[in-house]
Amino acid sequence: MNSDLNEVTQTLGYETSTKFLSDPYPLGGYSGLEVGVATEFINATDLSRLGTGNGNETNFEFTGVSIGKGLFDNLDVFVDFVPFSNANDISKYGAMVKWTFFEAQDLPLTTSILAHFDTINIDDEFNNQTLGDDLMEGINLQKFAIYFGGGILYGTSKFMYNILDLSDPANSAAVPSANPSDPDGYLTQKSQRDHTFIGVEVNFHPIFLAAQIDNYAQTVYSFKIGYRL
């Protein structure tokens, strides 16, 4: 993959993927429900390539809404979306399924598998879909919880031709069928990378606060305030 395109994929694709940002303990079956608002902060110096109009922009942040629901057998499902973001012209939504398959008998320790999907579109010039699976360990104490984990992310990125320099041999080699007269065409790239994270959740029942640090090519910081029934 062209190194410039790879940098954009890392920053605006993988680093915007769905975050956990919740209590690692199961929501509690059919009665378990939570809603929250989360903000993510990403160091992004490549936004000017996607038509944001500000070549000096170095920070990319957005706020989204998430909803979590307990199902059965320690299985929880979460959905998240960005309702609007006029500043960054983005459309984003994702989903996560969490299965807590182990609970220690004598310790407040749980082990879970996370499977998640996310898609983001920026000004119709860059689109990225991410699939991921993670293994997560959680430690629940009386008023707060700590969790950490990691896994693999698989991404499919699409770049509109009109943001590419097709005179660059790296780009023209990657898209030999690219037609410069078709500015609405897309270059598609697929890749994968590993991912680790650590987070903390503080409980003020029924309100909770969560903060998470994710490590991709660089570090992403996320914060969430939520309400749990």
Side-chain angles (χ1 to χ4, degrees):
M1 180 187 290
N2 182 312
S3 60
D4 288 342
L5 301 187
N6 181 61
E7 187 176 0
V8 175
T9 296
Q10 295 293 332
T11 303
L12 300 178
Y14 289 125
E15 293 174 9
T16 61
S17 61
T18 296
K19 314 295 191 299
F20 178 61
L21 282 169
S22 187
D23 188 330
Y25 198 77
L27 279 170
Y30 290 107
S31 62
L33 176 68
E34 75 165 48
V35 294
V37 176
T39 300
E40 299 184 27
F41 300 89
I42 299 170
N43 178 22
T45 58
D46 296 302
L47 293 182
S48 59
R49 302 183 187 186
L50 301 181
T52 60
N54 184 356
N56 296 320
E57 189 167 2
T58 59
N59 293 301
F60 181 52
E61 63 181 80
F62 57 88
T63 298
V65 176
S66 68
I67 302 172
K69 183 70 179 72
L71 299 180
F72 53 87
D73 291 336
N74 291 339
L75 189 70
D76 301 330
V77 62
F78 300 85
V79 295
D80 64 270
F81 59 94
V82 175
F84 61 87
S85 181
N86 293 331
N88 293 314
D89 295 322
I90 74 171
S91 171
K92 182 180 183 299
Y93 60 88
M96 174 180 289
V97 176
K98 170 177 168 284
W99 176 41
T100 304
F101 65 90
F102 173 77
E103 294 183 50
Q105 295 296 318
D106 301 319
L107 295 171
L109 179 67
T110 58
T111 305
S112 306
I113 292 176
L114 310 176
H116 47 92
F117 163 82
D118 182 87
T119 182
I120 184 170
N121 181 294
I122 301 180
D123 204 23
D124 289 329
E125 295 182 335
F126 172 77
N127 179 276
N128 189 86
Q129 293 183 348
T130 304
L131 291 172
D133 53 80
D134 302 308
L135 183 67
M136 181 178 74
E137 296 289 335
I139 303 172
N140 282 79
L141 302 176
Q142 186 174 5
K143 292 293 184 180
F144 71 95
I146 299 172
Y147 59 89
F148 57 91
I152 302 292
L153 291 169
Y154 303 90
T156 300
S157 302
K158 293 184 178 181
F159 303 83
M160 186 175 281
Y161 290 159
N162 67 5
I163 66 171
L164 301 176
D165 179 8
L166 295 180
S167 65
D168 184 336
N171 288 339
S172 59
V175 282
S177 61
N179 182 0
S181 66
D182 177 18
D184 294 326
Y186 285 88
L187 159 64
T188 300
Q189 299 276 17
K190 294 185 178 182
S191 59
Q192 69 180 66
R193 67 156 299 117
D194 56 5
H195 162 235
T196 60
F197 61 91
I198 183 169
V200 60
E201 182 261 0
V202 182
N203 184 5
F204 302 98
H205 187 76
I207 304 297
F208 70 92
L209 301 175
Q212 185 169 315
I213 299 174
D214 290 77
N215 290 313
Y216 305 90
Q218 58 188 0
T219 302
V220 176
Y221 301 92
S222 307
F223 303 91
K224 181 179 181 179
I225 180 170
Y227 180 89
R228 185 178 295 119
L229 298 178

